[in-house]
Amino acid sequence: MTDWLIPLSGLEYDHAENEAVLRVLASQWLSMGAEVEAFEREFAALLGTPHALAVANGTAALHLAYLALDIGPGDEVIQPAINFVAAANMTLGVGATPVFADIAGLDAPVIDPEDIERRITSRTKAVLVMYYGGLVTHAAEIRALCRKHNLLLVEDACHAAGARYFDADGREPNGEMAGAIGDVSCFSFFSNKNIATGEGGALATRSDEIAHKLRRLRSHGMTTMTWDRHKGHAHTYDVVLNGFNYRMDELHAALGRAQLRKLMPGNEKRRALTRLYRQRLQGLVGWTLPFQNYQSESSGHLMVAVAPNNDLRNRARAALQEKRIQTSLHYPCVPDFTAFKAVAASGLERARAYADRAMTLPLWPSMTPEQVELVCAALKDL
Ligand SMILES: *Cc1c(COP(=O)(O)O)cnc(C)c1O
Protein backbone atom coordinates (compact mmCIF):
# COMPACT_ATOMS: atom_id res chain seq x y z
CA MET A 1 0.00 0.00 0.00
CA THR A 2 1.25 3.46 -0.86
CA ASP A 3 1.84 5.60 2.18
CA TRP A 4 -0.22 8.60 1.08
CA LEU A 5 0.75 12.07 2.24
CA ILE A 6 -2.86 13.09 1.54
CA PRO A 7 -5.35 10.23 1.17
CA LEU A 8 -8.57 10.48 -0.84
CA SER A 9 -10.77 10.43 2.25
CA GLY A 10 -10.62 9.78 5.96
CA LEU A 11 -12.79 8.62 8.84
CA GLU A 12 -14.26 10.92 11.48
CA TYR A 13 -13.88 8.40 14.29
CA ASP A 14 -13.13 9.12 17.96
CA HIS A 15 -14.23 8.03 21.46
CA ALA A 16 -17.91 8.25 20.41
CA GLU A 17 -17.55 5.26 18.07
CA ASN A 18 -15.52 3.33 20.67
CA GLU A 19 -18.24 3.90 23.26
CA ALA A 20 -20.97 2.93 20.80
CA VAL A 21 -19.37 -0.45 20.11
CA LEU A 22 -18.68 -1.11 23.79
CA ARG A 23 -22.30 -0.28 24.63
CA VAL A 24 -23.45 -3.01 22.24
CA LEU A 25 -20.95 -5.54 23.56
CA ALA A 26 -22.12 -4.83 27.10
CA SER A 27 -25.75 -5.36 26.05
CA GLN A 28 -25.02 -8.94 24.92
CA TRP A 29 -27.38 -8.52 21.93
CA LEU A 30 -25.58 -8.42 18.56
CA SER A 31 -28.11 -9.00 15.78
CA MET A 32 -30.85 -6.55 14.75
CA GLY A 33 -32.42 -5.03 17.87
CA ALA A 34 -32.73 -1.81 19.84
CA GLU A 35 -29.74 -0.03 18.24
CA VAL A 36 -31.00 -0.74 14.73
CA GLU A 37 -34.47 0.51 15.69
CA ALA A 38 -33.00 3.69 17.18
CA PHE A 39 -30.75 4.26 14.15
CA GLU A 40 -33.73 3.86 11.82
CA ARG A 41 -35.79 6.32 13.87
CA GLU A 42 -32.99 8.88 13.92
CA PHE A 43 -32.24 8.49 10.20
CA ALA A 44 -35.94 8.83 9.30
CA ALA A 45 -36.10 11.98 11.45
CA LEU A 46 -33.18 13.47 9.50
CA LEU A 47 -34.92 12.82 6.18
CA GLY A 48 -38.41 13.66 7.38
CA THR A 49 -39.76 10.36 6.02
CA PRO A 50 -42.09 8.12 8.03
CA HIS A 51 -39.92 5.07 7.26
CA ALA A 52 -36.22 4.25 7.18
CA LEU A 53 -34.78 0.72 7.18
CA ALA A 54 -31.20 -0.18 7.94
CA VAL A 55 -29.68 -2.85 5.72
CA ALA A 56 -26.37 -4.66 5.20
CA ASN A 57 -25.04 -2.28 2.52
CA GLY A 58 -26.06 0.15 -0.23
CA THR A 59 -26.21 -2.53 -2.91
CA ALA A 60 -28.68 -4.55 -0.81
CA ALA A 61 -30.74 -1.35 -0.48
CA LEU A 62 -30.86 -0.98 -4.28
CA HIS A 63 -31.77 -4.66 -4.72
CA LEU A 64 -34.65 -4.39 -2.22
CA ALA A 65 -35.83 -1.08 -3.71
CA TYR A 66 -36.29 -2.67 -7.14
CA LEU A 67 -37.99 -5.75 -5.66
CA ALA A 68 -40.36 -3.74 -3.48
CA LEU A 69 -41.42 -1.76 -6.58
CA ASP A 70 -42.00 -5.00 -8.51
CA ILE A 71 -39.33 -4.18 -11.07
CA GLY A 72 -38.40 -7.36 -12.92
CA PRO A 73 -38.14 -9.15 -16.26
CA GLY A 74 -39.44 -7.07 -19.17
CA ASP A 75 -39.01 -3.78 -17.30
CA GLU A 76 -36.55 -1.04 -18.20
CA VAL A 77 -34.89 1.23 -15.65
CA ILE A 78 -33.48 4.47 -17.06
CA GLN A 79 -30.35 5.43 -15.12
CA PRO A 80 -27.19 7.52 -15.45
CA ALA A 81 -24.23 6.08 -17.38
CA ILE A 82 -21.93 7.72 -14.82
CA ASN A 83 -22.60 5.93 -11.54
CA PHE A 84 -21.13 3.31 -9.25
CA VAL A 85 -21.92 -0.04 -10.85
CA ALA A 86 -24.25 -1.29 -8.07
CA ALA A 87 -27.51 0.24 -9.41
CA ALA A 88 -26.92 -1.31 -12.85
CA ASN A 89 -25.81 -4.67 -11.45
CA MET A 90 -28.95 -4.88 -9.32
CA THR A 91 -31.12 -3.90 -12.30
CA LEU A 92 -29.79 -6.97 -14.10
CA GLY A 93 -29.98 -8.87 -10.82
CA VAL A 94 -33.79 -8.56 -10.70
CA GLY A 95 -34.01 -9.50 -14.39
CA ALA A 96 -34.77 -5.98 -15.65
CA THR A 97 -32.84 -4.02 -18.29
CA PRO A 98 -30.74 -0.95 -17.50
CA VAL A 99 -31.20 1.83 -20.06
CA PHE A 100 -28.25 4.20 -19.74
CA ALA A 101 -28.85 7.90 -20.25
CA ASP A 102 -26.21 10.54 -20.84
CA ILE A 103 -25.17 13.11 -18.26
CA ALA A 104 -26.36 16.71 -18.42
CA GLY A 105 -22.84 18.04 -19.06
CA LEU A 106 -19.23 18.06 -17.92
CA ASP A 107 -20.26 20.63 -15.32
CA ALA A 108 -23.21 18.47 -14.15
CA PRO A 109 -22.39 14.75 -14.28
CA VAL A 110 -25.95 13.71 -13.43
CA ILE A 111 -28.65 12.11 -15.55
CA ASP A 112 -29.90 14.49 -18.25
CA PRO A 113 -33.71 14.96 -17.98
CA GLU A 114 -34.03 15.48 -21.74
CA ASP A 115 -32.20 12.22 -22.42
CA ILE A 116 -34.48 10.42 -19.92
CA GLU A 117 -37.49 11.54 -21.94
CA ARG A 118 -35.92 10.43 -25.24
CA ARG A 119 -35.30 6.94 -23.84
CA ILE A 120 -38.77 6.25 -22.45
CA THR A 121 -40.48 3.24 -24.07
CA SER A 122 -43.61 1.21 -23.28
CA ARG A 123 -41.40 -1.01 -21.10
CA THR A 124 -39.94 1.80 -18.96
CA LYS A 125 -40.94 1.20 -15.37
CA ALA A 126 -38.65 3.43 -13.34
CA VAL A 127 -36.05 6.18 -13.40
CA LEU A 128 -33.08 5.92 -11.08
CA VAL A 129 -31.30 9.16 -10.21
CA MET A 130 -27.91 9.39 -8.49
CA TYR A 131 -26.97 12.55 -6.60
CA TYR A 132 -23.43 12.76 -7.86
CA GLY A 133 -21.02 14.14 -5.29
CA GLY A 134 -23.97 14.73 -2.97
CA LEU A 135 -25.80 17.42 -4.94
CA VAL A 136 -29.50 17.05 -5.77
CA THR A 137 -30.24 18.56 -9.19
CA HIS A 138 -33.21 18.63 -11.60
CA ALA A 139 -35.48 16.99 -9.00
CA ALA A 140 -38.60 19.02 -9.83
CA GLU A 141 -38.16 18.33 -13.56
CA ILE A 142 -37.53 14.61 -13.12
CA ARG A 143 -40.42 14.18 -10.68
CA ALA A 144 -42.75 15.91 -13.17
CA LEU A 145 -41.46 13.67 -15.95
CA CYS A 146 -42.10 10.55 -13.85
CA ARG A 147 -45.64 11.72 -13.06
CA LYS A 148 -46.38 12.51 -16.69
CA HIS A 149 -45.23 9.08 -17.90
CA ASN A 150 -46.37 7.13 -14.83
CA LEU A 151 -42.87 6.02 -13.85
CA LEU A 152 -41.46 5.13 -10.45
CA LEU A 153 -38.58 7.22 -9.10
CA VAL A 154 -35.71 5.53 -7.22
CA GLU A 155 -33.03 7.65 -5.56
CA ASP A 156 -29.48 6.33 -5.38
CA ALA A 157 -28.65 8.77 -2.57
CA CYS A 158 -25.44 6.97 -1.55
CA HIS A 159 -23.41 10.20 -1.93
CA ALA A 160 -26.05 12.45 -0.48
CA ALA A 161 -26.74 11.80 3.22
CA GLY A 162 -27.81 15.15 4.66
CA ALA A 163 -28.05 16.94 1.29
CA ARG A 164 -30.93 19.33 0.66
CA TYR A 165 -32.64 20.24 -2.61
CA PHE A 166 -33.90 23.75 -3.28
CA ASP A 167 -35.99 24.08 -6.42
CA ALA A 168 -35.86 27.20 -8.57
CA ASP A 169 -39.30 28.38 -7.38
CA GLY A 170 -38.32 28.18 -3.72
CA ARG A 171 -41.54 26.32 -2.88
CA GLU A 172 -39.89 24.47 0.02
CA PRO A 173 -38.07 27.19 1.99
CA ASN A 174 -36.10 24.63 4.02
CA GLY A 175 -35.40 22.45 1.00
CA GLU A 176 -36.25 18.78 0.52
CA MET A 177 -33.89 16.16 1.90
CA ALA A 178 -32.15 13.82 -0.52
CA GLY A 179 -33.87 10.52 0.11
CA ALA A 180 -37.31 12.03 0.62
CA ILE A 181 -37.96 12.91 -3.02
CA GLY A 182 -38.73 9.68 -4.90
CA ASP A 183 -40.74 6.51 -4.22
CA VAL A 184 -37.80 4.75 -2.54
CA SER A 185 -34.31 5.96 -1.73
CA CYS A 186 -31.07 4.08 -1.09
CA PHE A 187 -28.07 5.02 1.06
CA SER A 188 -24.67 3.43 1.67
CA PHE A 189 -22.59 3.67 4.84
CA PHE A 190 -19.43 2.16 3.30
CA SER A 191 -16.17 3.43 4.85
CA ASN A 192 -15.73 6.35 2.44
CA LYS A 193 -19.30 7.70 2.66
CA ASN A 194 -20.43 10.70 4.74
CA ILE A 195 -21.83 8.25 7.34
CA ALA A 196 -19.27 5.43 7.61
CA THR A 197 -19.94 2.15 9.41
CA GLY A 198 -17.64 -0.13 7.37
CA GLU A 199 -20.46 -1.91 5.57
CA GLY A 200 -24.00 -0.66 5.93
CA GLY A 201 -26.89 0.95 4.12
CA ALA A 202 -30.44 2.24 4.43
CA LEU A 203 -33.69 2.65 2.55
CA ALA A 204 -36.27 5.36 3.04
CA THR A 205 -39.81 5.76 1.77
CA ARG A 206 -43.01 7.69 2.46
CA SER A 207 -45.18 4.69 1.57
CA ASP A 208 -46.39 2.39 4.37
CA GLU A 209 -46.99 -0.36 1.83
CA ILE A 210 -43.49 -0.21 0.33
CA ALA A 211 -41.92 -0.03 3.80
CA HIS A 212 -43.86 -3.10 4.87
CA LYS A 213 -42.68 -5.06 1.83
CA LEU A 214 -39.08 -3.88 2.28
CA ARG A 215 -39.11 -5.09 5.90
CA ARG A 216 -40.30 -8.53 4.87
CA LEU A 217 -37.82 -8.80 1.98
CA ARG A 218 -34.95 -7.75 4.25
CA SER A 219 -35.46 -10.75 6.50
CA HIS A 220 -36.34 -13.91 4.51
CA GLY A 221 -39.94 -12.81 3.91
CA MET A 222 -40.66 -13.71 7.54
CA THR A 223 -43.55 -12.13 9.41
CA THR A 224 -41.66 -11.81 12.74
CA MET A 225 -38.01 -11.57 13.70
CA THR A 226 -35.71 -13.01 16.38
CA TRP A 227 -35.87 -9.63 18.14
CA ASP A 228 -39.71 -9.70 18.29
CA ARG A 229 -39.62 -13.21 19.70
CA HIS A 230 -36.90 -12.22 22.18
CA LYS A 231 -39.11 -9.37 23.40
CA GLY A 232 -41.98 -11.83 23.77
CA HIS A 233 -44.05 -10.10 21.05
CA ALA A 234 -44.28 -13.27 18.98
CA HIS A 235 -43.35 -16.91 19.20
CA THR A 236 -43.88 -18.13 15.68
CA TYR A 237 -43.74 -16.83 12.11
CA ASP A 238 -44.85 -17.40 8.56
CA VAL A 239 -42.80 -16.84 5.39
CA VAL A 240 -44.89 -14.83 2.95
CA LEU A 241 -42.24 -13.79 0.39
CA ASN A 242 -38.98 -15.28 -0.88
CA GLY A 243 -36.72 -12.79 0.85
CA PHE A 244 -33.09 -12.34 1.82
CA ASN A 245 -30.95 -11.72 4.85
CA TYR A 246 -29.98 -8.09 4.27
CA ARG A 247 -30.21 -7.02 7.93
CA MET A 248 -27.82 -4.64 9.69
CA ASP A 249 -26.43 -5.74 13.06
CA GLU A 250 -26.28 -3.82 16.34
CA LEU A 251 -22.57 -2.96 16.11
CA HIS A 252 -22.98 -1.26 12.74
CA ALA A 253 -26.16 0.52 13.86
CA ALA A 254 -24.40 1.87 16.96
CA LEU A 255 -21.58 3.17 14.75
CA GLY A 256 -24.22 4.67 12.44
CA ARG A 257 -25.83 6.53 15.34
CA ALA A 258 -22.48 8.01 16.42
CA GLN A 259 -21.74 8.99 12.80
CA LEU A 260 -25.21 10.48 12.31
CA ARG A 261 -24.48 13.04 15.05
CA LYS A 262 -21.42 14.18 13.11
CA LEU A 263 -23.11 14.23 9.69
CA MET A 264 -24.40 17.79 9.34
CA PRO A 265 -21.35 19.55 10.87
CA GLY A 266 -19.13 17.24 8.78
CA ASN A 267 -21.01 18.15 5.60
CA GLU A 268 -20.60 21.85 6.46
CA LYS A 269 -16.82 21.35 6.76
CA ARG A 270 -16.80 19.51 3.44
CA ARG A 271 -18.61 22.45 1.79
CA ALA A 272 -16.14 24.96 3.26
CA LEU A 273 -13.17 22.94 1.95
CA THR A 274 -14.90 22.64 -1.43
CA ARG A 275 -15.23 26.45 -1.58
CA LEU A 276 -11.50 26.76 -0.88
CA TYR A 277 -10.71 24.23 -3.62
CA ARG A 278 -12.87 26.18 -6.08
CA GLN A 279 -11.21 29.48 -5.23
CA ARG A 280 -7.75 28.04 -5.67
CA LEU A 281 -8.49 26.13 -8.89
CA GLN A 282 -10.58 28.82 -10.60
CA GLY A 283 -7.67 30.05 -12.73
CA LEU A 284 -6.82 26.64 -14.25
CA VAL A 285 -7.38 27.22 -17.97
CA GLY A 286 -9.59 24.65 -19.70
CA TRP A 287 -10.53 22.81 -16.50
CA THR A 288 -14.14 22.46 -15.34
CA LEU A 289 -15.25 22.33 -11.70
CA PRO A 290 -18.68 20.67 -11.76
CA PHE A 291 -21.78 22.22 -10.15
CA GLN A 292 -20.49 25.80 -10.21
CA ASN A 293 -24.01 27.05 -10.99
CA TYR A 294 -26.27 24.97 -8.76
CA GLN A 295 -27.90 26.28 -5.59
CA SER A 296 -28.86 23.15 -3.67
CA GLU A 297 -27.08 22.25 -0.43
CA SER A 298 -24.62 19.49 -1.23
CA SER A 299 -23.41 16.85 1.22
CA GLY A 300 -19.94 17.71 -0.14
CA HIS A 301 -19.21 14.05 -0.75
CA LEU A 302 -16.72 14.54 -3.62
CA MET A 303 -14.44 17.25 -5.00
CA VAL A 304 -13.98 16.63 -8.72
CA ALA A 305 -11.98 18.50 -11.36
CA VAL A 306 -12.47 17.83 -15.08
CA ALA A 307 -9.35 18.23 -17.24
CA PRO A 308 -9.37 19.75 -20.75
CA ASN A 309 -8.53 16.32 -22.18
CA ASN A 310 -7.72 12.71 -21.26
CA ASP A 311 -3.96 13.13 -21.57
CA LEU A 312 -3.85 16.05 -19.15
CA ARG A 313 -6.10 14.20 -16.67
CA ASN A 314 -3.83 11.17 -16.73
CA ARG A 315 -0.72 13.32 -16.35
CA ALA A 316 -2.34 15.22 -13.46
CA ARG A 317 -3.22 11.99 -11.65
CA ALA A 318 0.34 10.69 -12.16
CA ALA A 319 1.86 13.97 -10.94
CA LEU A 320 -0.27 13.92 -7.79
CA GLN A 321 0.56 10.28 -7.16
CA GLU A 322 4.24 11.21 -7.44
CA LYS A 323 3.63 13.66 -4.59
CA ARG A 324 1.80 10.93 -2.63
CA ILE A 325 -1.58 12.63 -3.10
CA GLN A 326 -4.31 10.08 -3.75
CA THR A 327 -6.90 10.69 -6.49
CA SER A 328 -9.67 8.57 -7.96
CA LEU A 329 -12.21 8.41 -10.79
CA HIS A 330 -15.93 8.59 -10.03
CA TYR A 331 -16.74 6.80 -12.33
CA PRO A 332 -15.94 4.90 -15.51
CA CYS A 333 -18.93 4.85 -17.90
CA VAL A 334 -20.93 1.84 -16.61
CA PRO A 335 -21.96 0.29 -19.99
CA ASP A 336 -18.30 0.21 -21.05
CA PHE A 337 -17.51 -2.45 -18.42
CA THR A 338 -17.07 -5.99 -19.77
CA ALA A 339 -20.07 -7.33 -17.86
CA PHE A 340 -22.38 -4.85 -19.68
CA LYS A 341 -21.28 -5.75 -23.23
CA ALA A 342 -24.73 -7.09 -24.04
CA VAL A 343 -26.49 -3.86 -22.94
CA ALA A 344 -27.16 -1.10 -25.48
CA ALA A 345 -25.03 1.99 -24.93
CA SER A 346 -25.34 4.58 -27.69
CA GLY A 347 -25.47 8.34 -27.44
CA LEU A 348 -23.38 8.61 -24.27
CA GLU A 349 -20.80 11.07 -25.60
CA ARG A 350 -20.83 13.39 -22.58
CA ALA A 351 -20.61 10.49 -20.12
CA ARG A 352 -17.64 9.03 -21.99
CA ALA A 353 -15.88 12.40 -22.19
CA TYR A 354 -16.44 12.83 -18.45
CA ALA A 355 -14.99 9.39 -17.62
CA ASP A 356 -11.95 10.28 -19.77
CA ARG A 357 -11.35 13.65 -18.16
CA ALA A 358 -12.58 13.66 -14.54
CA MET A 359 -10.48 13.16 -11.42
CA THR A 360 -11.58 13.11 -7.79
CA LEU A 361 -9.42 15.05 -5.35
CA PRO A 362 -8.97 14.34 -1.61
CA LEU A 363 -11.82 15.54 0.64
CA TRP A 364 -13.05 14.64 4.11
CA PRO A 365 -14.34 16.81 6.97
CA SER A 366 -11.15 17.04 9.02
CA MET A 367 -8.91 17.61 6.01
CA THR A 368 -7.00 20.84 6.69
CA PRO A 369 -7.03 23.97 4.49
CA GLU A 370 -3.22 23.52 4.25
CA GLN A 371 -3.78 20.08 2.70
CA VAL A 372 -6.18 21.61 0.17
CA GLU A 373 -3.52 24.23 -0.67
CA LEU A 374 -0.96 21.46 -1.21
CA VAL A 375 -3.24 19.56 -3.61
CA CYS A 376 -4.04 22.75 -5.54
CA ALA A 377 -0.38 23.76 -5.73
CA ALA A 378 0.49 20.32 -7.11
CA LEU A 379 -2.20 20.67 -9.79
CA LYS A 380 -1.12 24.18 -10.72
CA ASP A 381 2.53 23.06 -11.03
CA LEU A 382 1.47 21.03 -14.03
C1 LIG B 1 -21.23 3.33 -2.39
C2 LIG B 1 -22.23 3.39 -3.47
C3 LIG B 1 -23.08 2.31 -3.76
C4 LIG B 1 -22.94 0.96 -3.13
O1 LIG B 1 -22.98 0.92 -1.76
P1 LIG B 1 -22.32 -0.31 -0.95
O2 LIG B 1 -22.67 0.01 0.46
O3 LIG B 1 -20.85 -0.27 -1.20
O4 LIG B 1 -22.95 -1.56 -1.43
C5 LIG B 1 -24.03 2.49 -4.74
N1 LIG B 1 -24.16 3.64 -5.41
C6 LIG B 1 -23.36 4.69 -5.17
C7 LIG B 1 -23.56 5.96 -5.92
C8 LIG B 1 -22.37 4.60 -4.20
O5 LIG B 1 -21.55 5.65 -4.00
Side-chain angles (χ1 to χ4, degrees), residues 56-60 62 83-84 86-87 130 156 158-159 187-190 192-193 199-201 301 331:
N57 55 65
T59 307
L62 287 158
N83 191 0
F84 183 63
M130 196 276 274
D156 181 341
C158 290
H159 290 188
F187 291 87
S188 166
F189 308 132
F190 185 67
N192 60 8
K193 303 290 157 73
E199 299 286 356
H301 181 57
Y331 294 97

Side-chain angles (χ1 to χ4, degrees), residues 129 153 211 256 306 321 361 371-372 380:
V129 292
L153 180 58
V306 185
Q321 164 135 22
L361 302 174
Q371 287 175 313
V372 172
K380 284 177 163 169

Side-chain angles (χ1 to χ4, degrees), residues 110-114 116-117 127 129 131 135-149 151 153 155 164-172 175-178 180-182 294 296:
V110 292
I111 196 164
D112 174 17
E114 285 176 25
I116 296 176
E117 195 145 33
V127 172
V129 292
Y131 304 134
L135 193 81
V136 184
T137 66
H138 306 99
E141 247 173 298
I142 292 173
R143 196 157 40 193
L145 204 71
C146 286
R147 248 185 232 128
K148 179 174 152 200
H149 296 276
L151 305 175
L153 180 58
E155 301 174 70
R164 245 189 284 259
Y165 168 68
F166 293 93
D167 77 10
D169 308 333
R171 270 181 304 221
E172 293 277 349
E176 287 180 273
M177 296 304 289
I181 292 169
Y294 288 83
S296 289

